[in-house]
Amino acid sequence: MMLVTSMTAVAADSLEVAPAEKKMNWLRRTLRNFSEIDTAYVEPQHYNWALMLQSITTYDYYRLSTTGNNGQSISFAPSMELRMGPYFGWRWVFLGYTVNLRHLNLFHGARKLEVDASIYSAQIGADVFYSRSVNDYKIRRASFGGINTDRLVGMDFDGLNASITGLSLYYIFNHKRFSYPAAFAQSTCQKVSCGSWMAGVGYLNHSIDFDYKLMEQMAKERLGYEVQLDSGLMFNSIRYRDISASVGYAYNWVFARNCLFCSSLSLALGYKTSVAETVSEEDNGFDFRNFNVDGIGRFAVVWNNNKWYAGASAVVRAYNYRKSRFAANNVFGDLCVYVGLNFGPRGDYKKSKKK
């Protein structure tokens, strides 16, 4: 009787465990499907670890303008910066640090801060970025209704501060045959040319502080007479949030053995809600003019033989903000040049090598 009781208990325990095992099996299958690729088109990563040296050049451009008949506009951009440093990776996680070669003094007050993280997987991509520039802009162009403004071009302007925080998430439809990681994460290799449509969503928080009185003062000092800014440019700060939906297409062109060129473009329709401190107006409430088209482009050239790799990539983002009498256009991006090494073969790759 004791033996029968024990066997009955074991059978009951087995029935209880079975649903949990089914859930684990479902989770394993889901994770495998999530990263599943067609090996006729994409060569998977065969190593666990990676070392990379990378240089990053950043670009940031703002154009503030009015939309009336006698429109005025001012364009700003800082001097381009070069950062360089090492990166260390384990599978899909990469950590690194770069030093600004323009300001090697670590105790120098930082005028620009950038944090940028991207995830490139087979099916899903994600970007998280933050950029803040304080008193780091130069006047690149100015138009005040026919007045010669050449003497303003190239002047430092300490009256523009800007910060932008963004998050985007997108889905890659043809993910089994098209590999974003091959172009931007060097974790796979595209073997056959292929493209894919993408769709995603995004959120953006943008702020622009502008000292228009300082702009008028500089114009008077440099040009020799007073310049009256249009009321649309008389603002102290603008804060806006942007919720967007995007669609795009990317293509990987394998133009030679182990060589890849990637071109990707996404357009986003975003609705922007704002609070603007201006002399002319403060806009609130729903307005169809709050819909704007933004864009993001990604480009890459890569040589990768699975162990060694080198290349360059660029990510450019463009955002537009428009009200009845005022518009702001922002373009910023990074150009990366890198060389790296994969090491520490994975178990399945070791076995295939032995065979």
PDB file of all heavy atoms in Angstrom, residues 309-329:
ATOM      1  N   TYR A 309      36.393  43.015 -38.751  1.00  0.00           N
ATOM      2  CA  TYR A 309      35.439  43.876 -39.452  1.00  0.00           C
ATOM      3  C   TYR A 309      35.892  45.333 -39.374  1.00  0.00           C
ATOM      4  O   TYR A 309      36.627  45.741 -38.461  1.00  0.00           O
ATOM      5  CB  TYR A 309      34.025  43.732 -38.881  1.00  0.00           C
ATOM      6  CG  TYR A 309      33.902  44.043 -37.406  1.00  0.00           C
ATOM      7  CD1 TYR A 309      33.657  45.339 -36.954  1.00  0.00           C
ATOM      8  CD2 TYR A 309      34.015  43.029 -36.453  1.00  0.00           C
ATOM      9  CE1 TYR A 309      33.537  45.623 -35.607  1.00  0.00           C
ATOM     10  CE2 TYR A 309      33.894  43.303 -35.105  1.00  0.00           C
ATOM     11  CZ  TYR A 309      33.663  44.601 -34.677  1.00  0.00           C
ATOM     12  OH  TYR A 309      33.545  44.877 -33.346  1.00  0.00           O
ATOM     13  N   ALA A 310      35.457  46.099 -40.347  1.00  0.00           N
ATOM     14  CA  ALA A 310      35.750  47.538 -40.396  1.00  0.00           C
ATOM     15  C   ALA A 310      34.677  48.197 -41.238  1.00  0.00           C
ATOM     16  O   ALA A 310      34.058  47.561 -42.100  1.00  0.00           O
ATOM     17  CB  ALA A 310      37.136  47.799 -40.983  1.00  0.00           C
ATOM     18  N   GLY A 311      34.456  49.491 -41.000  1.00  0.00           N
ATOM     19  CA  GLY A 311      33.442  50.168 -41.790  1.00  0.00           C
ATOM     20  C   GLY A 311      33.115  51.550 -41.277  1.00  0.00           C
ATOM     21  O   GLY A 311      33.805  52.104 -40.413  1.00  0.00           O
ATOM     22  N   ALA A 312      32.053  52.094 -41.833  1.00  0.00           N
ATOM     23  CA  ALA A 312      31.567  53.421 -41.446  1.00  0.00           C
ATOM     24  C   ALA A 312      30.049  53.422 -41.539  1.00  0.00           C
ATOM     25  O   ALA A 312      29.461  52.747 -42.398  1.00  0.00           O
ATOM     26  CB  ALA A 312      32.156  54.500 -42.355  1.00  0.00           C
ATOM     27  N   SER A 313      29.411  54.158 -40.640  1.00  0.00           N
ATOM     28  CA  SER A 313      27.950  54.259 -40.651  1.00  0.00           C
ATOM     29  C   SER A 313      27.547  55.669 -40.260  1.00  0.00           C
ATOM     30  O   SER A 313      28.272  56.361 -39.534  1.00  0.00           O
ATOM     31  CB  SER A 313      27.313  53.247 -39.696  1.00  0.00           C
ATOM     32  OG  SER A 313      27.692  53.513 -38.356  1.00  0.00           O
ATOM     33  N   ALA A 314      26.399  56.086 -40.769  1.00  0.00           N
ATOM     34  CA  ALA A 314      25.873  57.418 -40.460  1.00  0.00           C
ATOM     35  C   ALA A 314      24.385  57.305 -40.160  1.00  0.00           C
ATOM     36  O   ALA A 314      23.657  56.583 -40.849  1.00  0.00           O
ATOM     37  CB  ALA A 314      26.096  58.374 -41.616  1.00  0.00           C
ATOM     38  N   VAL A 315      23.954  57.998 -39.127  1.00  0.00           N
ATOM     39  CA  VAL A 315      22.538  58.090 -38.771  1.00  0.00           C
ATOM     40  C   VAL A 315      22.181  59.572 -38.728  1.00  0.00           C
ATOM     41  O   VAL A 315      22.805  60.344 -37.988  1.00  0.00           O
ATOM     42  CB  VAL A 315      22.237  57.428 -37.418  1.00  0.00           C
ATOM     43  CG1 VAL A 315      20.760  57.566 -37.074  1.00  0.00           C
ATOM     44  CG2 VAL A 315      22.643  55.949 -37.438  1.00  0.00           C
ATOM     45  N   VAL A 316      21.200  59.976 -39.539  1.00  0.00           N
ATOM     46  CA  VAL A 316      20.801  61.385 -39.643  1.00  0.00           C
ATOM     47  C   VAL A 316      19.316  61.494 -39.325  1.00  0.00           C
ATOM     48  O   VAL A 316      18.492  60.795 -39.925  1.00  0.00           O
ATOM     49  CB  VAL A 316      21.083  61.946 -41.050  1.00  0.00           C
ATOM     50  CG1 VAL A 316      20.685  63.411 -41.120  1.00  0.00           C
ATOM     51  CG2 VAL A 316      22.545  61.773 -41.422  1.00  0.00           C
ATOM     52  N   ARG A 317      18.969  62.373 -38.391  1.00  0.00           N
ATOM     53  CA  ARG A 317      17.582  62.602 -38.007  1.00  0.00           C
ATOM     54  C   ARG A 317      17.187  64.036 -38.334  1.00  0.00           C
ATOM     55  O   ARG A 317      17.976  64.960 -38.139  1.00  0.00           O
ATOM     56  CB  ARG A 317      17.378  62.343 -36.511  1.00  0.00           C
ATOM     57  CG  ARG A 317      17.676  60.910 -36.084  1.00  0.00           C
ATOM     58  CD  ARG A 317      17.446  60.743 -34.587  1.00  0.00           C
ATOM     59  NE  ARG A 317      17.560  59.359 -34.172  1.00  0.00           N
ATOM     60  CZ  ARG A 317      18.674  58.796 -33.726  1.00  0.00           C
ATOM     61  NH1 ARG A 317      19.783  59.536 -33.650  1.00  0.00           N
ATOM     62  NH2 ARG A 317      18.702  57.535 -33.374  1.00  0.00           N
ATOM     63  N   ALA A 318      15.972  64.202 -38.829  1.00  0.00           N
ATOM     64  CA  ALA A 318      15.464  65.533 -39.179  1.00  0.00           C
ATOM     65  C   ALA A 318      14.090  65.716 -38.549  1.00  0.00           C
ATOM     66  O   ALA A 318      13.208  64.860 -38.713  1.00  0.00           O
ATOM     67  CB  ALA A 318      15.367  65.695 -40.690  1.00  0.00           C
ATOM     68  N   TYR A 319      13.907  66.837 -37.829  1.00  0.00           N
ATOM     69  CA  TYR A 319      12.642  67.136 -37.167  1.00  0.00           C
ATOM     70  C   TYR A 319      12.179  68.534 -37.549  1.00  0.00           C
ATOM     71  O   TYR A 319      12.987  69.470 -37.648  1.00  0.00           O
ATOM     72  CB  TYR A 319      12.794  67.022 -35.641  1.00  0.00           C
ATOM     73  CG  TYR A 319      13.143  65.631 -35.182  1.00  0.00           C
ATOM     74  CD1 TYR A 319      14.442  65.308 -34.817  1.00  0.00           C
ATOM     75  CD2 TYR A 319      12.172  64.628 -35.144  1.00  0.00           C
ATOM     76  CE1 TYR A 319      14.771  64.031 -34.405  1.00  0.00           C
ATOM     77  CE2 TYR A 319      12.488  63.344 -34.741  1.00  0.00           C
ATOM     78  CZ  TYR A 319      13.786  63.053 -34.368  1.00  0.00           C
ATOM     79  OH  TYR A 319      14.110  61.777 -33.982  1.00  0.00           O
ATOM     80  N   ASN A 320      10.872  68.664 -37.732  1.00  0.00           N
ATOM     81  CA  ASN A 320      10.284  69.928 -38.163  1.00  0.00           C
ATOM     82  C   ASN A 320       9.162  70.332 -37.211  1.00  0.00           C
ATOM     83  O   ASN A 320       8.363  69.491 -36.787  1.00  0.00           O
ATOM     84  CB  ASN A 320       9.719  69.789 -39.581  1.00  0.00           C
ATOM     85  CG  ASN A 320      10.775  69.367 -40.576  1.00  0.00           C
ATOM     86  OD1 ASN A 320      11.714  70.097 -40.854  1.00  0.00           O
ATOM     87  ND2 ASN A 320      10.646  68.149 -41.109  1.00  0.00           N
ATOM     88  N   TYR A 321       9.134  71.613 -36.908  1.00  0.00           N
ATOM     89  CA  TYR A 321       8.122  72.172 -36.011  1.00  0.00           C
ATOM     90  C   TYR A 321       7.597  73.448 -36.660  1.00  0.00           C
ATOM     91  O   TYR A 321       8.376  74.307 -37.076  1.00  0.00           O
ATOM     92  CB  TYR A 321       8.748  72.463 -34.645  1.00  0.00           C
ATOM     93  CG  TYR A 321       7.874  73.236 -33.684  1.00  0.00           C
ATOM     94  CD1 TYR A 321       6.948  72.588 -32.864  1.00  0.00           C
ATOM     95  CD2 TYR A 321       7.992  74.621 -33.588  1.00  0.00           C
ATOM     96  CE1 TYR A 321       6.172  73.312 -31.971  1.00  0.00           C
ATOM     97  CE2 TYR A 321       7.215  75.343 -32.702  1.00  0.00           C
ATOM     98  CZ  TYR A 321       6.302  74.677 -31.895  1.00  0.00           C
ATOM     99  OH  TYR A 321       5.519  75.385 -31.012  1.00  0.00           O
ATOM    100  N   ARG A 322       6.277  73.568 -36.766  1.00  0.00           N
ATOM    101  CA  ARG A 322       5.710  74.724 -37.471  1.00  0.00           C
ATOM    102  C   ARG A 322       4.445  75.212 -36.769  1.00  0.00           C
ATOM    103  O   ARG A 322       3.588  74.408 -36.387  1.00  0.00           O
ATOM    104  CB  ARG A 322       5.390  74.358 -38.921  1.00  0.00           C
ATOM    105  CG  ARG A 322       4.755  75.487 -39.743  1.00  0.00           C
ATOM    106  CD  ARG A 322       4.572  75.046 -41.180  1.00  0.00           C
ATOM    107  NE  ARG A 322       5.845  74.909 -41.855  1.00  0.00           N
ATOM    108  CZ  ARG A 322       6.458  75.893 -42.508  1.00  0.00           C
ATOM    109  NH1 ARG A 322       5.887  77.093 -42.578  1.00  0.00           N
ATOM    110  NH2 ARG A 322       7.607  75.698 -43.106  1.00  0.00           N
ATOM    111  N   LYS A 323       4.384  76.517 -36.609  1.00  0.00           N
ATOM    112  CA  LYS A 323       3.181  77.183 -36.128  1.00  0.00           C
ATOM    113  C   LYS A 323       2.745  78.209 -37.175  1.00  0.00           C
ATOM    114  O   LYS A 323       3.299  78.271 -38.264  1.00  0.00           O
ATOM    115  CB  LYS A 323       3.439  77.848 -34.777  1.00  0.00           C
ATOM    116  CG  LYS A 323       3.615  76.842 -33.635  1.00  0.00           C
ATOM    117  CD  LYS A 323       2.349  76.059 -33.395  1.00  0.00           C
ATOM    118  CE  LYS A 323       2.478  75.099 -32.237  1.00  0.00           C
ATOM    119  NZ  LYS A 323       1.252  74.322 -32.019  1.00  0.00           N
ATOM    120  N   SER A 324       1.745  79.013 -36.825  1.00  0.00           N
ATOM    121  CA  SER A 324       1.190  79.917 -37.827  1.00  0.00           C
ATOM    122  C   SER A 324       2.203  80.953 -38.305  1.00  0.00           C
ATOM    123  O   SER A 324       2.189  81.365 -39.463  1.00  0.00           O
ATOM    124  CB  SER A 324      -0.051  80.617 -37.270  1.00  0.00           C
ATOM    125  OG  SER A 324       0.288  81.372 -36.113  1.00  0.00           O
ATOM    126  N   ARG A 325       3.126  81.387 -37.430  1.00  0.00           N
ATOM    127  CA  ARG A 325       4.081  82.420 -37.817  1.00  0.00           C
ATOM    128  C   ARG A 325       5.526  82.030 -37.561  1.00  0.00           C
ATOM    129  O   ARG A 325       6.430  82.860 -37.738  1.00  0.00           O
ATOM    130  CB  ARG A 325       3.767  83.723 -37.074  1.00  0.00           C
ATOM    131  CG  ARG A 325       2.402  84.311 -37.375  1.00  0.00           C
ATOM    132  CD  ARG A 325       2.291  85.724 -36.868  1.00  0.00           C
ATOM    133  NE  ARG A 325       3.294  86.585 -37.487  1.00  0.00           N
ATOM    134  CZ  ARG A 325       3.552  87.832 -37.092  1.00  0.00           C
ATOM    135  NH1 ARG A 325       2.887  88.344 -36.079  1.00  0.00           N
ATOM    136  NH2 ARG A 325       4.463  88.542 -37.705  1.00  0.00           N
ATOM    137  N   PHE A 326       5.790  80.802 -37.149  1.00  0.00           N
ATOM    138  CA  PHE A 326       7.136  80.417 -36.750  1.00  0.00           C
ATOM    139  C   PHE A 326       7.399  78.967 -37.140  1.00  0.00           C
ATOM    140  O   PHE A 326       6.506  78.117 -37.111  1.00  0.00           O
ATOM    141  CB  PHE A 326       7.310  80.590 -35.241  1.00  0.00           C
ATOM    142  CG  PHE A 326       8.575  79.979 -34.701  1.00  0.00           C
ATOM    143  CD1 PHE A 326       9.792  80.602 -34.888  1.00  0.00           C
ATOM    144  CD2 PHE A 326       8.550  78.773 -34.015  1.00  0.00           C
ATOM    145  CE1 PHE A 326      10.964  80.036 -34.410  1.00  0.00           C
ATOM    146  CE2 PHE A 326       9.705  78.211 -33.530  1.00  0.00           C
ATOM    147  CZ  PHE A 326      10.922  78.851 -33.724  1.00  0.00           C
ATOM    148  N   ALA A 327       8.654  78.674 -37.517  1.00  0.00           N
ATOM    149  CA  ALA A 327       9.047  77.308 -37.844  1.00  0.00           C
ATOM    150  C   ALA A 327      10.460  77.059 -37.327  1.00  0.00           C
ATOM    151  O   ALA A 327      11.309  77.960 -37.317  1.00  0.00           O
ATOM    152  CB  ALA A 327       8.996  77.063 -39.355  1.00  0.00           C
ATOM    153  N   ALA A 328      10.696  75.826 -36.875  1.00  0.00           N
ATOM    154  CA  ALA A 328      12.030  75.396 -36.444  1.00  0.00           C
ATOM    155  C   ALA A 328      12.349  74.077 -37.126  1.00  0.00           C
ATOM    156  O   ALA A 328      11.528  73.157 -37.120  1.00  0.00           O
ATOM    157  CB  ALA A 328      12.082  75.247 -34.927  1.00  0.00           C
ATOM    158  N   ASN A 329      13.513  74.002 -37.719  1.00  0.00           N
ATOM    159  CA  ASN A 329      13.980  72.780 -38.376  1.00  0.00           C
ATOM    160  C   ASN A 329      15.294  72.359 -37.744  1.00  0.00           C
ATOM    161  O   ASN A 329      16.196  73.184 -37.559  1.00  0.00           O
ATOM    162  CB  ASN A 329      14.180  73.011 -39.875  1.00  0.00           C
ATOM    163  CG  ASN A 329      12.966  73.624 -40.537  1.00  0.00           C
ATOM    164  OD1 ASN A 329      12.939  74.831 -40.796  1.00  0.00           O
ATOM    165  ND2 ASN A 329      11.954  72.838 -40.810  1.00  0.00           N
TER     166      ASN A 329
END
